[in-house]
Amino acid sequence: MTVTDLTTRYLGLQLANPVVASASPLTGDVGRLVELQSAGVAAVVLPSLFEEQVVAEALAVHDELELGIGHHPEATDGYLPELDGYNSGPERYLDLVHRATDALDIPVIASLNGVTPGGWTAFARDIEDTGADALELNVYYVAADLDRSSAEIDDQYVRLVEQVRAAVSMPLAVKIGPYVSSPGHLARRLVDAGADGLVLFNRFYQPDIDLDELTVVPNLQLSTSADLRLTLRWMAILHGRLDASLAATTGVHTDEDAIKLILAGADVTMMTAALLQRGPHHVAGVLDGIRAWFGDRDYVSVDQARGSLSQLASPDPTAFERANYIRTLMSHPLSAISAL
């Protein structure tokens, strides 16, 4: 059996293998981060800092600075002085980045979650100064405004990337959702705007209705391997067409899931739900499976295999487009009956 070289590159970073722990409660604890590193993950993405957190803390500081304005002659401008350049972002997140980079030998990727530039650009600079190896922009936006076109929303995404790119020099990944009019076109625009890599795809958690309380409630359903298909399709379509790294997430639970995505074109595969359900030690088994599969087929490296089943390399490129839809329908046993 060939000993396969699992090393890969993502966002310009040299990684020992293509398995990355994506943002989750596990990656928000330094002790668990050390466990993940020991289990074999090649990099970690810290939990997202949400735009709402940055804005809320900035407003709280602003309120404190203006306390007492106009109520007393000696406090016409407030009791507290304005602090030029004061960073009103959550300091605890910067502390997590600092502690994680100190504790780990593998790359640490920070994450910001939101959709408007706001205070992101300044906070991105703070993250870069803290020592993170890269930054992931997790763009999560529900297009509920009927007056806004898809083009306007795409433009908003692009402006966000342009502004963060102008603020930092660190590697920049953008995590997007699949629910856009033309994922491929938006992907290319984001890369042109300065993204060094794309993460496919953000998983949109859907709300539910509590029939007893008649309220809208959150409903967290972790992914399964069945959720891999959408990412697999677009990974195969985008591979070789963009000058950027490609990361696959959502539905990566097993070594087989990771292998499929590498063959489709992924530089790295990111795991969340599987690690939450099975713990950090699950990584070791996944890596053993990846190594064995490629080694049994005499692949010298994962680079040799990457993209070999992408759309560009496929003898039947339509397999990733409408033809797949038709074949899927016709493959069901009842199709023969309905055709009679």
Side-chain angles (χ1 to χ4, degrees), residues 278-313:
R278 304 181 190 183
H281 66 275
H282 178 60
V283 176
V286 170
L287 288 172
D288 287 343
I290 294 173
R291 192 175 291 109
W293 193 92
F294 284 112
D296 287 345
R297 289 157 182 80
D298 294 325
Y299 282 101
V300 175
S301 67
V302 289
D303 286 341
Q304 179 187 359
R306 182 175 294 107
S308 57
L309 290 180
S310 66
Q311 188 179 45
L312 284 179

Side-chain angles (χ1 to χ4, degrees), residues 2 39 57 87 97 124 142 149 168 180 208 305:
T2 301
E57 193 150 328
N87 175 15
V97 176
V142 178
S149 69
V168 299
V180 295
D208 200 355

Side-chain angles (χ1 to χ4, degrees), residues 1-302:
M1 182 179 76
T2 301
V3 178
T4 306
D5 179 7
L6 297 187
T7 59
T8 188
R9 291 189 69 80
Y10 176 60
L11 303 177
L13 304 169
Q14 185 74 14
L15 305 185
N17 63 69
V19 177
V20 173
S22 50
S24 79
L26 282 178
T27 63
D29 179 87
V30 174
R32 289 301 185 93
L33 286 171
V34 172
E35 289 182 46
L36 287 166
Q37 176 178 262
S38 298
V41 297
V44 295
V45 182
L46 301 183
S48 294
L49 175 68
F50 289 84
E51 177 181 349
E52 290 82 355
Q53 291 173 279
V54 177
V55 172
E57 193 150 328
L59 290 175
V61 169
H62 179 72
D63 289 344
E64 289 292 334
L65 292 176
E66 292 193 341
L67 181 66
I69 288 180
H71 291 286
H72 301 282
E74 67 271 22
T76 55
D77 295 321
Y79 286 110
L80 300 175
E82 291 288 347
L83 303 179
D84 293 335
Y86 181 78
N87 175 15
S88 59
E91 295 295 324
R92 284 180 296 179
Y93 193 81
L94 295 177
D95 180 62
L96 172 62
V97 176
H98 181 73
R99 290 185 292 116
T101 55
D102 279 351
L104 302 179
D105 296 321
I106 57 177
V108 173
I109 303 171
S111 174
L112 292 176
N113 186 309
V115 75
T116 62
W120 275 27
T121 52
F123 204 77
R125 285 193 291 267
D126 291 335
I127 288 175
E128 183 172 40
D129 292 341
T130 303
D133 295 282
L135 177 62
E136 180 179 289
L137 298 182
N138 190 341
V139 184
Y140 191 110
Y141 179 68
V142 178
D145 186 346
L146 273 62
D147 293 324
R148 298 197 70 198
S149 69
S150 58
E152 289 178 292
I153 295 169
D154 285 1
D155 289 344
Q156 182 175 334
Y157 285 16
V158 172
R159 285 195 300 270
L160 171 64
V161 174
E162 287 174 340
Q163 292 186 34
V164 176
R165 174 76 287 164
V168 299
S169 59
M170 67 194 308
L172 182 64
V174 181
K175 187 175 186 178
I176 59 172
Y179 304 118
V180 295
S181 298
S182 178
H185 182 71
L186 176 60
R188 186 173 63 187
R189 289 191 66 194
L190 293 173
V191 172
D192 290 343
D196 299 296
L198 299 174
V199 183
L200 313 178
F201 283 113
N202 195 333
R203 190 160 182 259
F204 283 78
Y205 297 108
Q206 309 299 343
D208 200 355
I209 291 179
D210 185 322
L211 294 178
D212 294 322
E213 300 296 330
L214 295 181
T215 56
V216 178
V217 294
N219 181 19
L220 175 61
Q221 296 288 332
L222 295 177
S223 73
T224 69
S225 291
D227 295 309
L228 187 75
R229 305 294 178 264
L230 186 60
T231 301
L232 188 70
R233 162 179 278 177
W234 281 102
M235 186 62 64
I237 290 173
L238 294 180
H239 173 75
R241 292 177 169 165
L242 300 172
D243 185 19
S245 296
L246 293 175
T249 189
T250 297
V252 186
H253 284 251
T254 67
D255 53 291
E256 291 185 351
D257 296 333
I259 291 164
K260 290 175 183 179
L261 288 164
I262 292 168
L263 294 174
D267 294 296
V268 296
T269 60
M270 295 185 167
M271 306 185 78
T272 302
L275 299 180
L276 289 172
Q277 292 169 326
R278 304 181 190 183
H281 66 275
H282 178 60
V283 176
V286 170
L287 288 172
D288 287 343
I290 294 173
R291 192 175 291 109
W293 193 92
F294 284 112
D296 287 345
R297 289 157 182 80
D298 294 325
Y299 282 101
V300 175
S301 67
V302 289

